[in-house]
Amino acid sequence: MAQDRPLNHDEMLAVLDWYRAAGVDTAVGEEPVDRFAQRPPQRVTPPPAAAPAAERPVEAPMLGGDPSEARSLAASAQSLDQLQAILGAYDGCGLKLRATQLVFADGNPEAEIMLIGEAPGAEEDRQGKPFVGKSGQLLDRMLGAIGLDRTNVYIANTVPWRPPGNRTPTPEEMALCLPFLHRQVELVAPKLVMTLGGPAMQTIFSTTTGIIKMRGKWSSVAIGHHTVDAIPTLHPAYLLRNPAAKQQAWRDMLSLKLKAEELGLN
């Protein structure tokens, strides 16, 4: 076997000529590097490309509103008109930036029965009134079946601005809007409240229990400084998707009718 020895001058020139012919024209180190002895390089996965703007979900920015400020503003309202004006000027909740307009309420502000839903949908956002889309039309028929309409009930939502994509309001958004709902209930002072859907029920009843288990059961609840008998029922939008559940909602409506008659409500 040949012994290793230093290259002579002519041999080194021959090696350099071979490197140049192969395209090597830059020295990268004084000492040779054993690449096989090194750890293999870590593969870096590039971040996924951003989706086109039209495909990305649109989220309302959070403005960092202060719930204590919301409570102070809500408490200052001495009438529903004042409360609506205060909400219209309030910029603490980022939902307002994506909504078309404030959806405050509909119906009779002197009614003794109040209905509370979750949040406005697309049609409500366009018209500025709660429950005016397909679910609202079904709600009107439900009320009519027990002799009620929007002239003798008052309708509001837990959140007065439409969440992007009709998503469920976040806990932060709920915390900023809740003082205004509480004040709204205090000013209307209804004798009976019916919540529509799970999120509204969980907000008013301060519970994490599901709507299927809670619906149809009367409870005395404190909403702000107003205590009232309240009953949860299924949301009309849910009934449109699950027609078989209308029988349950019908029983809840009959319970509301019976309760109103017992109290002598108009």
Side-chain angles (χ1 to χ4, degrees), residues 127-178:
Q127 296 191 34
K129 293 182 179 181
F131 288 94
V132 291
K134 290 184 178 179
S135 62
Q137 295 168 12
L138 176 56
L139 178 60
D140 288 341
R141 294 196 296 272
M142 293 166 63
L143 291 171
I146 59 170
L148 299 175
D149 58 32
R150 296 192 184 219
T151 66
N152 44 33
V153 299
Y154 184 79
I155 307 173
N157 282 312
T158 58
V159 170
W161 295 286
R162 181 196 182 197
N166 290 349
R167 63 164 171 76
T168 301
T170 67
E172 293 79 11
E173 292 161 350
M174 287 296 307
L176 292 169
C177 295
L178 193 56

Side-chain angles (χ1 to χ4, degrees), residues 61-226:
M62 288 300 298
L63 298 185
D66 184 358
S68 63
E69 178 192 15
R71 288 192 293 270
S72 177
L73 287 171
S76 69
Q78 300 304 307
S79 68
L80 289 171
D81 288 340
Q82 286 184 12
L83 183 63
Q84 184 172 359
I86 289 170
L87 260 176
Y90 178 63
D91 292 328
C93 181
L95 288 177
K96 179 180 179 180
L97 299 184
R98 297 293 186 187
T100 301
Q101 59 185 315
L102 174 72
V103 180
F104 185 69
D106 194 23
N108 184 354
E110 297 182 357
E112 296 175 304
I113 299 174
M114 184 171 180
L115 309 181
I116 302 176
E118 177 189 353
E123 192 61 35
E124 288 77 14
D125 186 48
R126 281 190 287 269
Q127 296 191 34
K129 293 182 179 181
F131 288 94
V132 291
K134 290 184 178 179
S135 62
Q137 295 168 12
L138 176 56
L139 178 60
D140 288 341
R141 294 196 296 272
M142 293 166 63
L143 291 171
I146 59 170
L148 299 175
D149 58 32
R150 296 192 184 219
T151 66
N152 44 33
V153 299
Y154 184 79
I155 307 173
N157 282 312
T158 58
V159 170
W161 295 286
R162 181 196 182 197
N166 290 349
R167 63 164 171 76
T168 301
T170 67
E172 293 79 11
E173 292 161 350
M174 287 296 307
L176 292 169
C177 295
L178 193 56
F180 300 104
L181 173 65
H182 283 177
R183 187 59 181 151
Q184 197 171 11
V185 174
E186 290 169 354
L187 291 169
V188 176
K191 299 288 182 62
L192 298 175
V193 163
M194 171 175 272
T195 60
L196 305 169
M201 178 211 71
Q202 292 173 340
T203 298
I204 296 302
F205 287 79
S206 300
T207 182
T208 58
T209 304
I211 179 64
I212 299 301
K213 186 175 181 180
M214 289 280 291
R215 56 142 293 272
K217 298 177 181 178
W218 285 98
S219 298
S220 178
V221 296
I223 306 175
H225 297 293
H226 182 70

Side-chain angles (χ1 to χ4, degrees), residues 1-6:
M1 180 179 292
Q3 299 293 321
D4 292 337
R5 60 177 177 79

Side-chain angles (χ1 to χ4, degrees), residues 251-265:
R251 290 199 294 266
D252 300 340
M253 299 303 292
L254 289 177
S255 182
L256 176 64
K257 174 181 170 60
L258 179 61
K259 192 80 167 179
E261 291 174 347
E262 290 176 351
L263 297 178
L265 305 185

